[in-house]
């Protein structure tokens, strides 16, 4: 029995040390289990590899007892030594996707099933450690800072309900049931993620029953799919957002000099029609956002007052630019740098692996034209654009993030330490750095909330990272295929591509009246036919989904 899920973003790597895209995090959620996991209802810690834990000292020390008889999918015992090795090695070697979570942690083996994790400073995320535990016996030979990032991680050894069985980056990823998983065995044998370069082709495949479910559907397809009696559409919310980032110059490559002027950046903010863009591109399924979202918990989002908000006001934007000396002295419709400098033309990077990036690029060009700023559009895939960001070889781009529950990883991306990595606006601020350390150690929830709110207001006020709208997860599944999908969070979250992705282990084939519950699971012949169809769809071109940021948060 096979469950097939469609998606429109490819995998760049399966290595959890360096990956940054949502499909990669979805794979890791299924193959690697954590010490704890999340409740679908409210993100409270629940048993994972650990069946229980004891709080030795609040926010500082916890002792975990592993489930009895744990084993990796290849049969090797999974012990406290695996847990301690992951924490201590990723800390010492500063693994890119781990260091924000483990920088202050150390782990000590008590016995085969018991490990104590201690933080050198108060840590509000504990008892959740927040990392993927990989098998020591597989990863220790490659765990060298000089080589670990080049490891392809195709070993297929894990601790979750499914493990890797086959992989082609821009085609498909296949997983099979992990017979050594501690939980109840899934009700089907195989899970296939099928990549579509064209979202419309994915919609058609869902309607034809070639796939059982789909992620990142175009908003324009929702009405059509909702009219299909065999399809259920889900619009999930988990803190994901999209942004237009400006290069603020803290990298070797330099942006247009105007971007280093906060008055110029404020004018750009007033020139962007967030509400109009959200309505046009998301068909009312999204809403504008004032500043970045750093958690799946909406409580971390601060209130921005009407007086502070960068509302859409081209007239005000033009006034600011005039006052700051950005004038169109030759009457060609494009403003120049102060003092008769060159025309201001922003290099906007269009990420071809991001749904709506082309449309946003065109909208951005029009918005900027209205205030006398030129825009030059250039296309990149997500790997190329990441390189351009690190090198500082861009002026603006559109992308998005899906944050984790704890805000620390997401906040870390705008620290100086992440310049040259995930700090994609090439920006740092001393007060932000101070608050980052404080919130990372604040155990009082209300006080921590205040610190995070202050940090996000700094990002807003600096006007260099323009959060534009929430990015809901538009998903759908065939009701004649599988049932038992779980939303996370329970009230309005997505059914997969979520914080811990619980659905895959819980869904089961639909039992038709008088039938045997084949649930639309596909035969080998049918699967082969679909692979041929997938190759045809890939060659058809089009664009992909979003970076939904991953690394301690997921790049849409």
């Amino acid at each position: 029995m096979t469950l097939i899920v469609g998606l429109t973003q490819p995998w760049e790597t399966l290595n959890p040390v360096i990956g940054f895209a949502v499909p990669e995090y979805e794979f890791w959620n299924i193959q690697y289990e954590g010490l704890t996991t999340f409740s679908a209802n409210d993100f409270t810690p629940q048993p994972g590899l650990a069946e229980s834990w004891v709080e030795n000292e609040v926010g500082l020390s916890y002792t975990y007892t592993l489930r009895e008889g744990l084993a990796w999918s290849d049969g090797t015992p999974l012990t406290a030594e695996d847990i301690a090795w992951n924490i201590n090695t990723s800390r010492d070697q500063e693994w890119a996707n781990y260091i924000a979570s483990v920088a202050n942690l150390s782990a000590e083996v008590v016995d085969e099933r018991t490990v104590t994790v201690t933080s050198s400073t108060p840590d509000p995320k504990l008892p959740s450690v927040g990392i993927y535990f990989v098998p020591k016996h597989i990863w220790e030979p490659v765990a060298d800072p000089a080589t670990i990032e080049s490891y392809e991680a195709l070993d297929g050894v894990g601790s979750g309900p499914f493990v890797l069985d086959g992989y082609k980056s821009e085609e498909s990823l296949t997983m099979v049931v992990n017979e050594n998983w501690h939980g109840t065995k899934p009700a089907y044998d195989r899970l296939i993620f099928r990549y579509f370069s064209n979202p419309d082709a994915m919609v058609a495949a869902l309607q034809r029953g070639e796939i059982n479910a789909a992620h990142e559907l175009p908003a324009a397809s929702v009405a059509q799919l909702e009219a299909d009696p065999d399809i259920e559409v889900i619009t999930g919310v988990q803190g994901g957002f999209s942004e237009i980032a400006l290069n603020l110059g803290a990298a070797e490559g330099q942006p247009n000099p105007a971007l280093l002027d906060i008055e110029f950046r404020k004018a750009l903010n007033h020139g962007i029609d967030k509400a109009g863009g959200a309505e046009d591109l998301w068909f009312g399924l999204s809403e504008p956002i004032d500043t970045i979202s750093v958690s799946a918990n909406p409580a971390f989002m601060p209130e921005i007052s009407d007086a502070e908000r960068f509302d859409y006001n081209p007239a005000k934007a033009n006034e600011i630019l005039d006052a700051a000396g950005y004038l169109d002295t030759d009457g060609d419709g494009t403003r120049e740098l102060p003092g008769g400098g060159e025309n201001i033309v922003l290099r906007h990077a269009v990420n071809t692996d991001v749904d709506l990036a082309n449309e946003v690029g065109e909208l951005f060009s029009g918005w900027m034209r209205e205030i006398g700023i030129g825009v030059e559009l250039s296309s990149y895939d997500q790997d190329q654009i990441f390189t351009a960001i690190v090198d500082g070889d861009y002026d603006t781009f559109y992308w998005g993030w899906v944050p984790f529950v704890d805000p620390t990883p997401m906040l870390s991306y705008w620290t100086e330490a992440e310049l040259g990595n995930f700090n994609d606006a090439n920006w740092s601020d001393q007060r932000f750095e101070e608050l980052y350390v404080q919130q990372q150690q604040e155990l009082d929830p209300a006080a921590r909330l205040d610190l995070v709110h202050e940090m996000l207001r700094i990002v807003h006020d600096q006007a260099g990272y323009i959060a534009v709208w929430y990015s809901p997860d538009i998903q759908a599944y065939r009701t004649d295929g599988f049932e038992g999908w779980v939303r996370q969070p329970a009230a309005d979250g997505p059914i997969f591509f979520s914080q811990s992705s619980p659905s895959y282990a819980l869904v089961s084939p639909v039992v038709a009246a008088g039938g045997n519950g084949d649930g639309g699971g596909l035969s080998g012949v049918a699967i082969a036919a679909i692979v041929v169809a997938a190759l045809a769809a890939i060659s058809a071109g089009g664009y992909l989904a979003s970076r939904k940021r991953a690394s301690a948060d997921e790049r849409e």
Side-chain angles (χ1 to χ4, degrees):
M1 190 73 61
T2 300
L3 169 64
I4 302 181
V5 178
L7 71 165
T8 55
Q9 183 178 13
W11 304 264
E12 293 294 334
T13 178
L14 299 186
N15 185 334
V17 172
I18 58 169
F20 62 86
V22 160
E24 295 153 13
Y25 272 75
E26 191 75 344
F27 165 72
W28 301 327
N29 277 350
I30 305 167
Q31 176 156 295
Y32 303 118
E33 192 155 8
L35 271 177
T36 63
T37 187
F38 289 112
S39 162
N41 294 315
D42 56 9
F43 298 131
T44 55
Q46 302 292 313
L49 294 174
E51 66 179 14
S52 63
W53 53 88
V54 175
E55 186 176 74
N56 304 318
E57 192 172 356
V58 179
L60 288 170
S61 178
Y62 293 77
T63 297
Y64 303 82
T65 300
L66 302 184
R67 298 174 187 270
E68 188 173 1
L70 286 177
W72 295 101
S73 58
D74 65 355
T76 304
L78 193 167
T79 70
E81 180 61 34
D82 286 287
I83 305 303
W85 180 85
N86 272 262
I87 292 172
N88 296 333
T89 304
S90 62
R91 178 205 62 219
D92 293 345
Q93 296 186 2
E94 298 184 347
W95 293 0
N97 285 345
Y98 286 57
I99 192 62
S101 296
V102 302
N104 299 316
L105 300 184
S106 61
E108 180 180 359
V109 173
V110 178
D111 58 40
E112 190 173 81
R113 289 181 55 206
T114 313
V115 60
T116 295
V117 177
T118 302
S119 178
S120 59
T121 61
D123 189 337
K125 77 175 181 301
L126 291 173
S128 174
V129 175
I131 63 172
Y132 296 106
F133 290 90
V134 297
K136 177 187 176 185
H137 67 286
I138 299 292
W139 282 75
E140 188 172 34
V142 300
D144 182 298
T147 59
I148 194 167
E149 293 189 358
S150 62
Y151 182 55
E152 295 184 350
L154 302 180
D155 51 83
V157 179
S159 57
F162 291 86
V163 291
L164 183 68
D165 187 53
Y167 166 64
K168 293 185 178 179
S169 174
E170 294 196 2
E171 185 175 321
S172 66
L173 186 151
T174 301
M175 305 185 77
V176 294
V177 167
N178 173 10
E179 299 293 344
N180 289 324
W181 187 50
H182 64 78
T184 301
K185 183 179 177 180
Y188 58 103
D189 305 313
R190 187 175 298 271
L191 169 62
I192 296 177
F193 292 98
R194 175 179 158 190
Y195 164 69
F196 291 83
S197 63
N198 187 323
D200 294 330
M202 183 174 69
V203 172
L206 181 66
Q207 291 182 301
R208 290 193 298 263
E210 294 176 0
I211 60 177
N212 303 106
H215 173 63
E216 291 286 301
L217 289 157
S221 70
V222 169
Q224 171 189 356
L225 293 174
E226 286 180 334
D228 190 320
D230 293 325
I231 293 176
E232 182 74 21
V233 178
I234 300 291
T235 301
V237 179
Q238 56 178 337
F241 71 97
S242 299
E243 89 281 356
I244 295 174
L246 313 182
N247 183 358
L248 301 189
E252 184 175 340
Q254 292 299 305
N256 190 294
L259 292 175
L260 305 182
D261 180 356
I262 191 170
E263 292 302 308
F264 181 86
R265 301 198 300 268
K266 288 178 179 179
L268 262 58
N269 274 257
H270 281 297
I272 293 174
D273 186 4
K274 298 181 182 182
E279 182 62 33
D280 291 344
L281 300 178
W282 290 94
F283 293 79
L285 297 173
S286 181
E287 60 184 55
I289 190 173
D290 291 323
T291 188
I292 60 175
S293 171
V294 295
S295 171
N297 180 354
F300 283 100
M301 179 63 69
E303 289 288 336
I304 304 295
S305 70
D306 290 343
E308 298 171 307
R309 183 176 295 115
F310 294 117
D311 59 310
Y312 177 52
N313 191 335
K316 185 172 184 178
N318 280 312
E319 290 177 6
I320 294 172
L321 292 169
D322 288 344
Y326 298 95
L327 306 175
D328 176 14
T329 60
D330 57 10
D332 66 354
T334 303
R335 294 176 183 272
E336 301 128 24
L337 292 169
E342 296 180 355
N343 279 0
I344 302 173
V345 179
L346 302 179
R347 299 166 298 160
H348 183 81
V350 176
N351 187 340
T352 57
D353 288 338
V354 170
D355 193 11
L356 302 180
N358 288 318
E359 291 87 340
V360 171
E362 294 299 329
L363 285 174
F364 182 67
S365 296
W367 293 331
M368 293 300 97
R369 190 180 307 115
E370 193 171 359
I371 60 174
I373 305 298
V375 174
E376 178 184 273
L377 302 177
S378 298
S379 296
Y380 301 79
D381 65 26
Q382 66 183 16
D383 187 51
Q384 293 169 332
I385 199 171
F386 186 80
T387 299
I389 289 168
V390 169
D391 293 342
D393 188 22
Y394 73 99
D395 289 326
T396 62
F397 68 83
Y398 171 80
W399 210 343
W401 290 102
V402 175
F404 285 147
V405 175
D406 188 87
T408 289
M410 192 74 191
L411 291 168
S412 74
Y413 301 154
W414 294 284
T415 62
E416 189 172 349
E418 285 296 321
L419 289 170
N421 191 34
F422 288 114
N423 189 332
D424 54 5
N426 291 315
W427 170 83
S428 64
D429 178 89
Q430 186 57 43
R431 178 59 178 162
F432 186 96
E433 300 276 341
E434 295 167 358
L435 292 168
Y436 173 75
V437 174
Q438 292 178 38
Q439 69 79 32
Q440 195 176 22
Q441 302 176 16
E442 180 55 66
L443 300 181
D444 178 76
R448 190 183 190 208
L449 207 61
D450 289 342
L451 292 170
V452 173
H453 286 175
E454 184 178 348
M455 295 176 73
L456 300 188
R457 289 192 182 95
I458 290 173
V459 175
H460 170 271
D461 294 347
Q462 286 293 310
Y465 206 81
I466 309 170
V468 286
W469 42 68
Y470 282 114
S471 302
D473 293 300
I474 304 176
Q475 304 171 338
Y477 65 92
R478 292 194 61 87
T479 56
D480 56 0
F482 287 78
E483 60 187 357
W485 300 95
V486 177
R487 299 187 74 153
Q488 188 186 47
D492 56 3
I495 56 173
F496 38 55
F497 293 83
S498 61
Q499 297 295 321
S500 58
S501 308
S503 282
Y504 300 104
L506 299 174
V507 296
S508 58
V510 172
V511 179
N516 61 4
D518 67 9
L522 302 179
S523 68
V525 173
I527 291 171
I530 284 173
V531 170
V532 173
L535 291 173
I538 289 168
S539 66
Y543 50 83
L544 322 177
S546 52
R547 127 178 93 178
K548 276 191 175 163
R549 295 187 188 194
S551 163
D553 294 79
E554 305 164 345
R555 259 299 187 188
E556 292 203 56

